[in-house]
Amino acid sequence: MTDVASTGPPRLPDLANLRDVGGLPTGDGRRTRSGRLLRSATPFYLDAAQAAVLADEVGVRLRIDLRSRGEVDGATSEHLAAVEHDVLHAPVRSGASFAVDPTGEEGTGPVEVMTAHYLRFLEHSPDAFEAITRAVATPGRTPALVHCTLGKDRTGVTVALLLSAVGVTDEAIVADYARTEGQNVDLLDRLLGLPGYAERIAALPAEALGAQPATMTAFLAGLQATHGGAAAYLRSVGVEDAVLDALDRQLVEEER
């Protein structure tokens, strides 16, 4: 098996925005473990060879699918289904559509709109975030791959929540989020050919397709102001301290 911890995941041409979030600094001087938590865009386009690489070389044991049931039914890789062992379907929903005021004069500019959208995920998907946290904290279920469709919004918030809960610095979380910018151009073109996706993509404001650092910065500030931070939010949705401790052991190196 490829050493994911030293090399990172191999490039898979049909799995956009794939990366390992290992090596990120925590506030107490530690680093996240490599080969434990990965993120990507949709794996729908994986062929048999790439699906085998994801399963055998990357060693993914758990795929966390944040898409709605309709999205899953319309875009699932039969090749990936043939090799994977464990899938957690945990739909993340915002409960509202985008509403951008391009002037930003009423507090509804791009960053404000995206931030509000992200914070609504927390309000409308508590069960999903609880289940995801428990799954990633369980020994033997990593490497885990988290994905939605573009691997930006639902995936970005989910990964940010997990990383923040184990003490990764806001600066590192924002930098990881911003790495998505420009990664999905080819994927967007392909999605336009799928039933239903063309309409959904056309309805999105241009700002919803980018990954601006200011958006994640504002989300983390809102998470702190509204919920007291990631760990406090997860406790509020039913995650016990013992599970948070287990999450820390799974995702963060012991030595400082």
PDB file of all heavy atoms in Angstrom, residues 29 42 47 68 82 88 92 114 137 165 192:
ATOM      1  N   GLY A  29       0.631  23.349  19.443  1.00  0.00           N
ATOM      2  CA  GLY A  29       1.919  22.967  18.888  1.00  0.00           C
ATOM      3  C   GLY A  29       2.001  21.596  18.261  1.00  0.00           C
ATOM      4  O   GLY A  29       3.091  21.153  17.871  1.00  0.00           O
ATOM      5  N   THR A  42     -16.988  15.147  -5.855  1.00  0.00           N
ATOM      6  CA  THR A  42     -17.701  13.898  -6.083  1.00  0.00           C
ATOM      7  C   THR A  42     -16.818  12.820  -6.721  1.00  0.00           C
ATOM      8  O   THR A  42     -16.059  13.102  -7.655  1.00  0.00           O
ATOM      9  CB  THR A  42     -18.930  14.118  -6.981  1.00  0.00           C
ATOM     10  OG1 THR A  42     -19.567  12.850  -7.216  1.00  0.00           O
ATOM     11  CG2 THR A  42     -18.559  14.743  -8.311  1.00  0.00           C
ATOM     12  N   ASP A  47     -13.237   5.675 -12.655  1.00  0.00           N
ATOM     13  CA  ASP A  47     -13.328   4.406 -13.379  1.00  0.00           C
ATOM     14  C   ASP A  47     -12.828   3.300 -12.457  1.00  0.00           C
ATOM     15  O   ASP A  47     -12.457   3.533 -11.301  1.00  0.00           O
ATOM     16  CB  ASP A  47     -12.547   4.457 -14.689  1.00  0.00           C
ATOM     17  CG  ASP A  47     -11.063   4.772 -14.488  1.00  0.00           C
ATOM     18  OD1 ASP A  47     -10.535   4.570 -13.370  1.00  0.00           O
ATOM     19  OD2 ASP A  47     -10.426   5.235 -15.462  1.00  0.00           O
ATOM     20  N   SER A  68     -27.402  15.011  -0.865  1.00  0.00           N
ATOM     21  CA  SER A  68     -28.781  14.600  -0.644  1.00  0.00           C
ATOM     22  C   SER A  68     -29.032  13.244  -1.305  1.00  0.00           C
ATOM     23  O   SER A  68     -28.265  12.798  -2.167  1.00  0.00           O
ATOM     24  CB  SER A  68     -29.736  15.631  -1.240  1.00  0.00           C
ATOM     25  OG  SER A  68     -29.648  15.622  -2.664  1.00  0.00           O
ATOM     26  N   ALA A  82     -18.228  -0.982  -6.030  1.00  0.00           N
ATOM     27  CA  ALA A  82     -17.776  -2.368  -6.101  1.00  0.00           C
ATOM     28  C   ALA A  82     -16.570  -2.634  -5.206  1.00  0.00           C
ATOM     29  O   ALA A  82     -16.297  -3.790  -4.863  1.00  0.00           O
ATOM     30  CB  ALA A  82     -17.424  -2.723  -7.551  1.00  0.00           C
ATOM     31  N   LEU A  88     -20.930   6.220   4.896  1.00  0.00           N
ATOM     32  CA  LEU A  88     -21.845   6.939   5.781  1.00  0.00           C
ATOM     33  C   LEU A  88     -22.523   8.020   4.951  1.00  0.00           C
ATOM     34  O   LEU A  88     -21.865   8.943   4.481  1.00  0.00           O
ATOM     35  CB  LEU A  88     -21.086   7.579   6.950  1.00  0.00           C
ATOM     36  CG  LEU A  88     -21.906   8.520   7.848  1.00  0.00           C
ATOM     37  CD1 LEU A  88     -23.057   7.769   8.510  1.00  0.00           C
ATOM     38  CD2 LEU A  88     -21.009   9.185   8.883  1.00  0.00           C
ATOM     39  N   VAL A  92     -25.916  16.976   4.408  1.00  0.00           N
ATOM     40  CA  VAL A  92     -25.773  18.275   5.062  1.00  0.00           C
ATOM     41  C   VAL A  92     -26.627  19.272   4.288  1.00  0.00           C
ATOM     42  O   VAL A  92     -26.453  19.446   3.079  1.00  0.00           O
ATOM     43  CB  VAL A  92     -24.299  18.711   5.116  1.00  0.00           C
ATOM     44  CG1 VAL A  92     -24.173  20.156   5.569  1.00  0.00           C
ATOM     45  CG2 VAL A  92     -23.514  17.791   6.046  1.00  0.00           C
ATOM     46  N   MET A 114     -22.492  33.710   1.767  1.00  0.00           N
ATOM     47  CA  MET A 114     -21.889  32.393   1.920  1.00  0.00           C
ATOM     48  C   MET A 114     -21.725  32.030   3.388  1.00  0.00           C
ATOM     49  O   MET A 114     -21.938  30.881   3.794  1.00  0.00           O
ATOM     50  CB  MET A 114     -20.540  32.339   1.198  1.00  0.00           C
ATOM     51  CG  MET A 114     -20.629  32.467  -0.320  1.00  0.00           C
ATOM     52  SD  MET A 114     -21.754  31.259  -1.081  1.00  0.00           S
ATOM     53  CE  MET A 114     -20.946  29.714  -0.625  1.00  0.00           C
ATOM     54  N   ALA A 137     -14.126   9.479  14.705  1.00  0.00           N
ATOM     55  CA  ALA A 137     -13.473   9.234  15.991  1.00  0.00           C
ATOM     56  C   ALA A 137     -13.294   7.755  16.299  1.00  0.00           C
ATOM     57  O   ALA A 137     -12.538   7.400  17.207  1.00  0.00           O
ATOM     58  CB  ALA A 137     -14.287   9.886  17.114  1.00  0.00           C
ATOM     59  N   ALA A 165     -12.501  21.380  15.991  1.00  0.00           N
ATOM     60  CA  ALA A 165     -12.826  20.667  17.229  1.00  0.00           C
ATOM     61  C   ALA A 165     -11.595  20.048  17.876  1.00  0.00           C
ATOM     62  O   ALA A 165     -11.575  19.838  19.097  1.00  0.00           O
ATOM     63  CB  ALA A 165     -13.868  19.589  16.959  1.00  0.00           C
ATOM     64  N   LEU A 192     -22.510  19.692 -15.815  1.00  0.00           N
ATOM     65  CA  LEU A 192     -23.565  20.301 -16.628  1.00  0.00           C
ATOM     66  C   LEU A 192     -24.255  19.285 -17.526  1.00  0.00           C
ATOM     67  O   LEU A 192     -25.374  19.512 -17.982  1.00  0.00           O
ATOM     68  CB  LEU A 192     -22.980  21.435 -17.482  1.00  0.00           C
ATOM     69  CG  LEU A 192     -22.557  22.687 -16.710  1.00  0.00           C
ATOM     70  CD1 LEU A 192     -21.842  23.662 -17.631  1.00  0.00           C
ATOM     71  CD2 LEU A 192     -23.761  23.353 -16.057  1.00  0.00           C
TER      72      LEU A 192
END
